[in-house]
């Protein structure tokens, strides 16, 4: 009863928002840093006045919300919610872009503004900096970061996305983590401190769990190896801490040209490597992170990353970096960067060529050398396919250490039972399709995924339109090629030779429907296909 009453509406909204990927969750998590600093000051026997003075010097949190000014003008309820956050957290600042009409002809003046709560229930403007024109010329997200950078204070800046959160016990370690910048592990100064992430969306659905495991693998195992021994970890997004003085004197932390800087985070890493900075990665402190949880969301996310990788491979930053790296680090960069996407393109291309080649050999009765039939190696192919399972060992080990060996084993079995391999094979084609498309014809653009809870069933016709050109047509083409080959082939061991190709075809065709919520509910089935 109380949950639905108007009297407790604020508490209900607060309860719901800290369980989703919302701004409220991010702000609440980041403000733990203030609480942690207060506790540390208390342990060092500082009085309250000194502590309050130190808070403003040691910690500031700026949320860059471009559209806050427009929301205020439109009397949008979201602006009121942001105001409530500022009143709840006095050290929170909101940076936004304000536009003012100057005359009847429509000339506009643009300002970068910073506001805070005045402590009496009103919003107070601190700074208003006039800009030469509209600052949002390129990609929205990096432009948003760039305009707010002038309002930050201190020597270090931590970049946080709106799908992240913080933890109090982790915030206590930040003072120690910043000392990493004072250490030098080589001739170059430490300019980016990488932190690991804890993925909190794994329990939403099986798809969310696959993404959580994939991300866990990358933010622990992957980045650990890229840092040492490969020495080529760059900046892959948040929650890295930057040496602000180094970066603002070398072009800033974000590049924002339209298209080419679609994956804006990685360009900070390129800039850092070219200009003599060093990246270190520490796992004793972590930040929470949410991932995409629905099929369409994950598809759009992978498409954005692949298009970003395609644009990177055309950029002058990569050209300069590759001309200056030694050969070993160049190979490491390929392995840890755009090489992953090129590998996916080559994998799909190889599957395509193999299917057509086997079908043509069967059709034209060329499955022999002279009068001798070729000996198929189906058994060996199946054994090699089994060896692919060995790739799960690193993840098994990581989960074993963190959660226990039995829980780790159960997790991996569950991934296979629920169709995990189909999901990962499906997204090999997603990456290959968008990487190829971007390099050949361009068209890279930012794709907002929303990050909501995906519990609603998507109708079959919508799913078909969404995935047809990238996956379904290829799946049907491969299936038809394998059927033709099966009809005309005389070489034997058909299943041994084609099981992996059938699996790829099945994953392209079935995954969008298999992972659709409520897909086996009878009422839904009749509505979709009747």
């Amino acid at each position: 009863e109380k949950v639905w009453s108007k009297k407790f509406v604020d508490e209900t909204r607060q309860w719901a928002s800290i369980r989703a990927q919302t701004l409220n969750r991010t702000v609440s998590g980041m403000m733990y840093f203030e609480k942690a600093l207060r506790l540390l000051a208390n342990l060092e026997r500082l009085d309250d006045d000194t502590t309050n003075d130190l808070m403003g010097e040691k910690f500031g949190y700026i949320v860059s919300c471009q559209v806050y000014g427009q929301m205020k003008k439109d009397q949008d309820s979201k602006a009121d919610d942001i105001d409530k956050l500022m009143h709840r957290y006095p050290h929170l600042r909101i940076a936004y872009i304000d536009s003012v009409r100057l005359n009847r002809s429509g000339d506009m003046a643009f300002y970068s503004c910073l506001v805070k709560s005045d402590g009496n229930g009103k919003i107070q403007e601190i700074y208003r900096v006039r800009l030469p024109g509209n600052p949002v010329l390129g990609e929205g997200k990096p432009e948003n970061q760039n305009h707010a950078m002038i309002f930050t204070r201190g020597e270090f800046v931590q970049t946080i996305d709106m799908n992240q959160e913080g933890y109090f016990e982790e915030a206590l370690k930040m003072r120690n983590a910043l000392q990493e910048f004072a250490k030098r592990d080589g001739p170059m100064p430490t300019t980016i401190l990488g932190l690991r992430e804890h993925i909190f969306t794994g329990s939403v659905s099986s798809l969310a769990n696959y993404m959580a495991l994939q991300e866990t693998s990358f933010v622990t195992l992957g980045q650990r190896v890229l840092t040492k021994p490969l020495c080529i970890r760059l900046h892959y997004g948040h929650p890295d801490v930057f040496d602000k003085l180094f970066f603002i004197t070398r072009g800033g932390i974000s590049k924002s040209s339209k298209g080419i800087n679609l994956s804006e985070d990685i360009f900070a890493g390129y800039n850092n490597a070219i200009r003599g900075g060093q990246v270190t990665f520490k796992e004793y402190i972590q930040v929470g992170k949410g991932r995409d949880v629905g099929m369409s969301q994950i598809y759009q996310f992978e498409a954005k990353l692949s298009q970003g990788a395609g644009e990177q491979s055309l950029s002058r930053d990569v050209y300069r970096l590759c001309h200056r790296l030694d050969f070993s680090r160049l190979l490491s960069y390929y392995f840890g960067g755009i090489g992953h996407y090129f590998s996916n393109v080559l994998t799909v291309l190889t599957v395509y060529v193999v299917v057509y080649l086997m079908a043509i050999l069967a059709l034209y009765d060329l499955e022999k050398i002279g009068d001798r039939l070729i000996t198929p190696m189906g058994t060996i192919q199946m054994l090699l396919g089994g060896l692919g399972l060995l790739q799960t060992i690193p993840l098994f080990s990581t989960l074993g250490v963190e959660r226990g060996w039995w829980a780790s084993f159960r997790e991996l079995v569950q991934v296979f039972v629920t169709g995990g391999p189909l999901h990962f094979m499906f997204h090999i084609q997603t990456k290959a399709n968008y990487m190829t498309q971007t390099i050949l014809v361009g068209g890279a653009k930012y794709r907002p995924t929303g990050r909501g809870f995906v519990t609603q069933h998507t109708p079959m016709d919508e799913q078909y339109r969404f995935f047809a050109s990238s996956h379904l047509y290829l799946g049907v083409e491969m299936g038809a090629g394998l059927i033709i080959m099966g009809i005309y082939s005389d070489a034997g061991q058909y299943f041994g030779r084609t099981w992996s190709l059938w699996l790829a075809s099945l994953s392209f065709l079935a995954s969008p429907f298999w992972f659709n919520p409520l897909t086996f509910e009878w009422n839904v089935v009749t509505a979709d296909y009747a």
Side-chain angles (χ1 to χ4, degrees), residues 31-78:
M31 295 314 282
Y32 282 131
F33 284 110
E34 186 180 336
K35 290 183 180 176
L37 282 173
R38 286 189 185 280
L39 176 61
L40 292 170
N42 194 15
L43 291 173
E44 292 177 12
R45 308 282 174 95
L46 297 178
D47 60 73
D48 285 348
D49 291 338
T50 311
T51 303
N52 288 332
D53 290 342
L54 277 172
M55 280 304 108
E57 292 176 23
K58 299 289 183 186
F59 172 73
Y61 183 35
I62 293 172
V63 173
S64 185
C65 179
Q66 276 174 358
V67 292
Y68 172 75
Q70 191 58 46
M71 288 194 296
K72 273 293 214 189
K73 289 174 187 171
D74 298 342
Q75 297 183 330
D76 192 329
S77 61
K78 289 177 187 170

Side-chain angles (χ1 to χ4, degrees), residues 482-525:
L482 291 170
I483 289 169
I484 289 168
M485 178 217 159
I487 294 168
Y488 290 97
S489 176
D490 298 323
Q493 293 194 29
Y494 177 75
F495 179 73
R497 290 156 63 206
T498 61
W499 68 274
S500 55
L501 300 169
W502 272 115
L503 195 60
S505 175
L506 181 70
S507 80
F508 298 162
L509 290 170
S511 291
F513 309 106
W514 175 264
F515 292 114
N516 200 0
L518 308 175
T519 200
F520 297 114
E521 192 83 25
W522 183 245
N523 295 337
V524 170
V525 171

Side-chain angles (χ1 to χ4, degrees), residues 74-186:
D74 298 342
Q75 297 183 330
D76 192 329
S77 61
K78 289 177 187 170
D80 298 332
D81 295 336
I82 293 172
D83 291 349
K84 282 179 190 169
L85 281 174
M86 281 192 273
H87 297 318
R88 198 187 323 154
Y89 301 111
H91 280 106
L92 174 64
R93 307 283 184 267
I94 302 292
Y96 68 95
I97 293 165
D98 195 20
S99 55
V100 178
R101 189 172 173 179
L102 296 175
N103 51 38
R104 287 185 180 180
S105 61
D107 293 336
M108 304 289 283
F110 292 90
Y111 298 88
S112 262
C113 304
L114 189 73
V115 294
K116 69 170 185 177
S117 167
D118 66 355
N120 300 315
K122 291 207 166 65
I123 300 301
Q124 174 190 346
E125 188 170 283
I126 313 169
Y127 296 113
R128 174 173 282 262
V129 181
R130 181 154 185 180
L131 303 168
N134 186 358
V136 186
L137 299 173
E139 297 293 340
K141 187 177 162 191
E143 295 282 25
N144 204 11
Q145 283 183 346
N146 286 336
H147 102 91
M149 189 53 64
I150 58 169
F151 300 126
T152 58
R153 293 289 176 266
E155 290 181 40
F156 305 108
V157 62
Q158 183 180 21
T159 50
I160 293 291
D161 233 342
M162 211 187 85
N163 60 337
Q164 296 191 256
E165 68 166 342
Y167 307 108
F168 181 70
E169 63 277 17
E170 302 299 328
L172 289 168
K173 306 172 196 170
M174 183 51 89
R175 193 165 72 163
N176 302 70
L178 292 179
Q179 291 303 308
E180 297 287 347
F181 286 99
K183 289 162 57 179
R184 285 181 85 136
D185 292 336

Side-chain angles (χ1 to χ4, degrees), residues 116-362:
K116 69 170 185 177
S117 167
D118 66 355
N120 300 315
K122 291 207 166 65
I123 300 301
Q124 174 190 346
E125 188 170 283
I126 313 169
Y127 296 113
R128 174 173 282 262
V129 181
R130 181 154 185 180
L131 303 168
N134 186 358
V136 186
L137 299 173
E139 297 293 340
K141 187 177 162 191
E143 295 282 25
N144 204 11
Q145 283 183 346
N146 286 336
H147 102 91
M149 189 53 64
I150 58 169
F151 300 126
T152 58
R153 293 289 176 266
E155 290 181 40
F156 305 108
V157 62
Q158 183 180 21
T159 50
I160 293 291
D161 233 342
M162 211 187 85
N163 60 337
Q164 296 191 256
E165 68 166 342
Y167 307 108
F168 181 70
E169 63 277 17
E170 302 299 328
L172 289 168
K173 306 172 196 170
M174 183 51 89
R175 193 165 72 163
N176 302 70
L178 292 179
Q179 291 303 308
E180 297 287 347
F181 286 99
K183 289 162 57 179
R184 285 181 85 136
D185 292 336
M188 296 185 291
T190 298
T191 48
I192 296 179
L193 171 64
L195 311 178
R196 67 162 281 172
E197 293 162 333
H198 165 253
I199 315 301
F200 57 73
T201 48
S203 58
V204 175
S205 65
S206 57
L207 283 177
N209 190 33
Y210 304 152
M211 285 300 281
L213 290 173
Q214 180 179 318
E215 195 73 4
T216 301
S217 177
F218 178 65
V219 299
T220 54
L221 300 167
Q223 297 197 21
R224 194 183 304 156
V225 172
L226 287 170
T227 309
K228 221 173 213 177
L230 300 185
C231 300
I232 196 63
R233 185 193 185 271
L234 300 168
H235 169 58
Y236 303 103
H238 316 285
D240 291 3
V241 183
F242 290 87
D243 180 339
K244 195 180 103 179
L245 299 180
F246 178 90
F247 274 89
I248 60 173
T249 53
R250 289 165 179 81
I253 65 165
S254 292
K255 289 197 171 186
S256 52
S257 297
K258 200 78 173 168
I260 200 83
N261 296 132
L262 179 64
S263 298
E264 76 291 335
D265 303 314
I266 193 84
F267 286 92
Y270 293 149
N271 208 13
N272 180 58
I274 292 167
R275 293 168 188 265
Q278 189 170 336
V279 181
T280 186
F281 175 66
K282 298 297 169 188
E283 295 184 69
Y284 56 75
I285 176 170
Q286 66 181 6
V287 174
K289 187 176 182 79
R291 277 261 66 102
D292 305 277
V293 296
M295 193 70 185
S296 303
Q297 284 182 352
I298 295 170
Y299 176 85
Q300 287 179 304
F301 175 72
E302 295 285 10
K304 174 184 171 276
L305 289 189
S306 307
Q307 290 193 313
E311 293 288 357
Q312 283 168 51
S313 64
L314 306 174
S315 70
R316 67 181 69 182
D317 302 72
V318 169
Y319 174 81
R320 287 173 181 155
L321 185 70
C322 294
H323 270 68
R324 286 158 178 77
L325 287 177
D326 58 82
F327 187 65
S328 302
R329 285 181 78 198
L330 187 61
L331 293 179
S332 302
Y333 164 65
Y334 180 82
F335 161 77
I338 51 178
H340 170 69
Y341 294 92
F342 279 117
S343 300
N344 284 325
V345 172
L346 293 174
T347 302
V348 172
L349 184 64
T350 307
V351 167
Y352 208 73
V353 168
V354 165
V355 169
Y356 268 97
L357 202 59
M358 288 166 74
I360 288 166
L361 288 175

Side-chain angles (χ1 to χ4, degrees), residues 320-509:
R320 287 173 181 155
L321 185 70
C322 294
H323 270 68
R324 286 158 178 77
L325 287 177
D326 58 82
F327 187 65
S328 302
R329 285 181 78 198
L330 187 61
L331 293 179
S332 302
Y333 164 65
Y334 180 82
F335 161 77
I338 51 178
H340 170 69
Y341 294 92
F342 279 117
S343 300
N344 284 325
V345 172
L346 293 174
T347 302
V348 172
L349 184 64
T350 307
V351 167
Y352 208 73
V353 168
V354 165
V355 169
Y356 268 97
L357 202 59
M358 288 166 74
I360 288 166
L361 288 175
L363 264 172
Y364 290 99
D365 202 21
L366 297 172
E367 294 178 315
K368 55 190 174 186
I369 301 165
D371 296 327
R372 222 157 25 96
L373 273 178
I374 56 171
T375 311
M377 296 292 183
T379 319
I380 294 176
Q381 277 196 36
M382 295 187 77
L383 281 172
L384 290 172
L387 287 176
L389 297 176
L390 294 176
Q391 292 193 348
T392 60
I393 289 176
L395 183 61
F396 175 67
S397 308
T398 304
L399 293 176
V401 170
E402 291 190 3
R403 304 184 196 172
W405 298 106
W406 176 240
S408 173
F409 177 72
R410 269 205 334 243
E411 186 76 71
L412 288 180
V413 168
Q414 189 180 346
V415 165
F416 279 95
V417 168
T418 54
L422 294 180
H423 166 80
F424 292 114
M425 289 167 74
F426 182 84
H427 285 301
I428 286 175
Q429 167 57 8
T430 306
K431 293 171 194 171
N433 178 63
Y434 281 100
M435 178 77 174
T436 316
Q437 178 187 308
T438 306
I439 289 178
L440 294 179
V441 296
K445 62 179 181 180
Y446 180 76
R447 295 162 188 272
T449 53
R451 298 288 165 94
F453 288 113
V454 179
T455 52
Q456 192 176 358
H457 179 83
T458 309
M460 181 268 176
D461 57 335
E462 198 175 313
Q463 287 282 81
Y464 181 83
R465 284 194 297 271
F466 204 82
F467 296 107
S469 62
S470 58
H471 292 80
L472 301 180
Y473 296 161
L474 177 61
V476 169
E477 195 175 336
M478 283 173 59
L482 291 170
I483 289 169
I484 289 168
M485 178 217 159
I487 294 168
Y488 290 97
S489 176
D490 298 323
Q493 293 194 29
Y494 177 75
F495 179 73
R497 290 156 63 206
T498 61
W499 68 274
S500 55
L501 300 169
W502 272 115
L503 195 60
S505 175
L506 181 70
S507 80
F508 298 162
L509 290 170

